[in-house]
Amino acid sequence: MSMPAFYAAASAQHDPQSFLVLGQFAKAQEVPERAERLLAGGTAAGLTFQEPGAYEPGLAAAVHTPEYLRFLAEIHGRWSNIPGAAAEVIPNVNLDRRFGGYPTAPAGLAGYHQADGACPIGAGTWAGVQASAATGMSAAQSVIEGARAAYALCRPPGHHAYADLAGGFCFLNNSAIAAQMLRGAHDRVAVLDVDVHHGNGTQGIFYGRGDMLTVSLHADPTDYYPYVQGYAHERGEGAGFGTNRNLPLPRSTQDDGYLPALEDAIATVTAYRPGALVLALGLDAYREDPLKGMALSTKGFESIGKRVAAIGLPTVIVQEGGYLCPDLGANLTAFLTGFQEGMG
C-alpha cells in the first residue's frame, strides 16, 4: 500500500505574478504549474492523491500570531481600497521591528509582515495559503492516526514563514504546523529540512524550545537567501539551546558532498530520540533548478529518500521548494521511490 498523499486544488488560487529580486521585477518562480509537475511525479512513484480536510485555524494559530493571521486574511482587501495600489501587496517599506509600535496602515502592515519581495499577496493568496496548510494538516493527522509516512504537496511552501512574518514565497509554515500537531502525540519531534535554502522560519518558531529539534542542510547563507540566518553557530536559546543545528554547504555542492552531510544530520536526529519526524522536502538543490544553489542529481534525491526512511520514524513529508525545470517531477519520483524502498 502506498503512503497517503494530499493535494488541494484550491492552492492554485495563489498565483503570484511578480518576484522582486536584485532590485528588478522578474517572472514569478512559485507558480501553480509547480504543483502540476509534482502531482505527476508523485503519481509516477505510485501515490494516489486525495483532497485534504478543511483548514483548521486553531492549528495555524498554534505557531502563528493572531495579528499575523488577521493580516493575511485582511490585507489584500484593505490594500485594494488604496487609490492607485497595485494588484498584489508588495511592501515598499521594511520596518525595523526593534523600534516603534504596530502599524495600522496597509502599507505599514505589509512592511511589518512581509520580509521581502518574493511573497506578493494577490486576490487568491489567502485561499491558496489556507489550502496549502490544510494539505500539511491532513498529512500530519494521517501519521498521528497510524500511517508510517504521508506526503503533503504543499504549495505555496512554508519554511521561510516565521510566527508573524512572510518571506521567500512562504506565508504559513506548513512544516512547523505539522510538527506542532505531531508534538501532541509525542514528547519530542524533529524537523529535518533538506531544501537548498535554510529553513529560517521553522528555526525561528522553535528556537527556544527543547521539545522540537530543527536540523537544516542548505547552501551557505553568506551569499545565498536568506543571508541573515542559517549559520552553524546558531544552536538555539534558553530551553532550546542545543536543539537547533545548521549544516551550511558550499554553493554547487554535489551528491558526494551532500550525502555525508545528510548522514551527519541524521545522526543528530537519531541522537535526539524523537517520536516522529517532519521532513521539509525541497527539490531545489537540483543542479538544473533555476535558483541555482547546489548541484544534486536525480539519483541523489533517491538516496536522500532511502536514508531518511531508514531513520524508521513516523514521518510527515512536507513539500517545500523545487522550481520549474524539466526534471522537477522526476526528482520527486526519485525521492518518493527511494523513501518507499527505504521503508521496506
Side-chain angles (χ1 to χ4, degrees):
M1 181 184 297
S2 67
M3 73 177 77
F6 300 88
Y7 171 68
S11 68
Q13 294 184 59
H14 174 58
D15 188 9
Q17 300 300 304
S18 54
F19 176 27
L20 181 60
V21 57
L22 296 177
Q24 301 184 60
F25 281 102
K27 183 179 180 180
Q29 296 285 336
E30 205 294 292
V31 293
E33 186 181 350
R34 290 184 61 235
E36 297 171 12
R37 298 193 188 190
L38 293 167
L39 280 168
T43 301
L47 272 58
T48 300
F49 286 89
Q50 55 188 300
E51 279 280 335
Y55 167 76
E56 297 187 39
L59 298 178
V63 299
H64 292 288
T65 66
E67 62 188 16
Y68 179 59
L69 294 170
R70 183 177 178 184
F71 165 80
L72 291 176
E74 297 178 359
I75 190 58
H76 188 267
R78 294 190 59 194
W79 180 270
S80 298
N81 290 327
I82 302 172
E88 295 180 314
V89 182
I90 303 172
N92 60 284
V93 294
N94 290 104
L95 302 180
D96 189 330
R97 289 155 167 253
R98 294 174 297 175
F99 305 105
Y102 185 66
T104 57
L109 287 166
Y112 191 90
H113 287 301
Q114 290 170 272
D116 51 46
C119 50
I121 297 174
T125 294
W126 180 228
V129 166
Q130 291 177 88
S132 180
T135 302
M137 291 171 183
S138 288
Q141 187 60 39
S142 69
V143 170
I144 291 169
E145 292 175 355
R148 290 179 61 189
Y151 172 63
L153 203 176
C154 294
R155 199 241 125 224
H159 73 150
H160 295 308
Y162 292 84
D164 65 349
L165 185 65
F169 310 145
C170 301
F171 301 90
L172 293 180
N173 195 314
N174 306 309
S175 291
I177 292 169
Q180 183 62 39
M181 290 178 64
L182 292 172
R183 177 62 183 83
H186 301 278
D187 291 338
R188 290 182 303 282
V189 174
V191 180
L192 174 60
D193 193 319
V194 298
D195 191 279
V196 77
H197 303 95
H198 175 240
N200 56 318
T202 312
Q203 172 177 301
I205 289 170
F206 295 135
Y207 204 61
R209 290 177 54 173
D211 58 342
M212 292 282 190
L213 174 71
T214 47
V215 182
S216 180
L217 292 83
H218 49 269
D220 189 340
T222 301
D223 62 349
Y224 200 66
Y225 190 91
Y227 301 106
V228 297
Q229 285 183 303
Y231 297 94
H233 69 265
E234 298 160 13
R235 299 174 59 201
E237 63 184 8
F241 184 74
T243 59
N244 187 84
R245 180 139 191 248
N246 292 323
L247 290 89
L249 301 172
R251 294 281 290 272
S252 300
T253 292
Q254 299 180 20
D255 297 356
D256 59 356
Y258 189 92
L259 294 175
L262 177 64
E263 292 293 351
D264 189 1
I266 288 172
T268 297
V269 171
T270 302
Y272 183 67
R273 307 292 290 177
L277 174 70
V278 173
L279 179 73
L281 174 63
L283 300 169
D284 42 5
Y286 182 56
R287 60 192 174 201
E288 300 297 333
D289 188 273
L291 298 188
K292 298 294 182 188
M294 292 192 201
L296 300 192
S297 69
T298 299
K299 190 70 174 177
F301 287 109
E302 181 180 350
S303 296
I304 292 170
K306 287 180 180 178
R307 296 179 190 208
V308 173
I311 299 172
L313 291 169
T315 302
V316 180
I317 303 166
V318 176
Q319 189 64 54
E320 297 289 356
Y323 301 96
L324 296 184
C325 67
D327 296 322
L328 177 58
N331 289 337
L332 180 60
T333 303
F335 170 83
L336 291 171
T337 300
F339 188 90
Q340 292 176 103
E341 289 178 359
M343 286 197 303

